[in-house]
Amino acid sequence: MESSLAIPALTKDLARVLIDADTISRRTDELAREINKAYANIKGPLILVGVLKGSFIFTADLCRKLTIPHIVDFIALSSYSGSNSTGNVRLLMDTRENLEGKHVLIIEDILDSGTTLDYLIRNFKSRKTLSVKTIVLLDKPERHTFPVELDYIGFTIPDVWVVGYGLDYNEKHRTLPYIAEMYPQTE
Ligand code: IMP
Ligand code: MG
């Protein structure tokens, strides 16, 4: 049956498609294979903690490609307003799982300054977890201000604002199936 789902046309605020849906899917396959291998021998399920809202699509796609036992959980943080970092992280919603004694994999949409992941890694390590690792779909190395150790990276991108596949600009463009670069916005 032919799909009737139309891919939204690029709008005036989007400059170009940076990573298309097929490329994201193939990279997610590779990452899932690496994770399946790395956690093949752990005791108990791996706790996946998706950082809302930006990583919800990546989390959903990645977890369906995992063959190891896992539990999906989420955490909600906020550090941004528009495209300017406010520099401080607010915990809006904690995980439901008790992370003590568990292997945890944090799933983030993008590493920008590193503020969010730096906060989360410290926070999770203080909960007596067995291990805390990180996977980010996108990494913007030029923007790092905190030295965050990443275990898995989907794609390295230049310092541009990107939207789609979970990422937004003031809630806009979050559900595009691809990752697109935005023209610089004057808020
Ligand atoms: P950090 O704390 O500065 O590393 O920022 C991480 C968060 O900022 C990400 O989880 C995103 O929610 C948001 N962010 C950073 N860069 C972008 C972008 O290019 N597009 C959409 N969201 C972004
Ligand atoms: Mg985020």
Side-chain angles (χ1 to χ4, degrees):
M1 204 174 82
E2 208 177 310
S3 168
S4 59
L5 281 179
I7 293 178
L10 283 180
T11 56
K12 272 189 263 172
D13 51 355
L14 302 184
R16 65 192 171 113
V17 174
L18 205 61
I19 310 168
D20 64 40
D22 276 354
T23 307
I24 298 171
S25 173
R26 273 185 272 116
R27 184 71 186 121
T28 312
D29 284 340
E30 290 171 2
L31 291 165
R33 270 199 295 275
E34 283 182 46
I35 294 164
N36 285 331
K37 225 161 119 186
Y39 291 95
N41 298 316
I42 62 166
K43 242 175 105 189
L46 172 66
I47 314 292
L48 305 172
V49 180
V51 183
L52 293 173
K53 296 178 191 176
S55 80
F56 84 107
I57 295 177
F58 182 43
T59 302
D61 282 348
L62 184 72
C63 69
R64 286 178 295 168
K65 293 176 175 177
L66 294 181
T67 51
I68 50 162
H70 60 272
I71 289 174
V72 181
D73 205 340
F74 290 98
I75 197 163
L77 302 164
S78 170
S79 69
Y80 268 81
S81 166
S83 59
N84 295 313
S85 173
T86 57
N88 49 38
V89 179
R90 263 194 314 148
L91 179 63
L92 304 177
M93 185 196 84
D94 204 354
T95 57
R96 296 222 185 165
E97 289 297 313
N98 177 358
L99 304 182
E100 188 174 337
K102 307 279 172 57
H103 292 281
V104 177
L105 180 63
I106 303 171
I107 307 177
E108 229 325 22
D109 51 357
I110 187 164
L111 181 68
D112 192 68
S113 70
T115 317
T116 311
L117 269 181
D118 179 68
Y119 167 88
L120 257 193
I121 294 167
R122 284 167 200 271
N123 183 303
F124 284 1
K125 283 192 171 159
S126 76
R127 301 187 195 193
K128 299 187 183 128
T129 41
L130 280 183
S131 70
V132 179
K133 288 196 175 183
T134 52
I135 175 167
V136 298
L137 176 67
L138 305 170
D139 183 25
K140 276 186 196 172
E142 288 163 53
R143 299 265 309 169
H144 295 184
T145 54
F146 287 90
V148 173
E149 218 178 280
L150 295 173
D151 297 284
Y152 305 95
I153 300 171
F155 305 92
T156 298
I157 62 163
D159 181 14
V160 292
W161 195 262
V162 289
V163 292
Y165 199 70
L167 295 110
D168 72 313
Y169 175 75
N170 287 339
E171 296 305 322
K172 230 178 138 190
H173 301 309
R174 205 187 277 286
T175 59
L176 290 175
Y178 46 78
I179 291 162
E181 175 185 337
M182 276 194 110
Y183 286 117
Q185 302 293 300
T186 48
E187 284 178 71

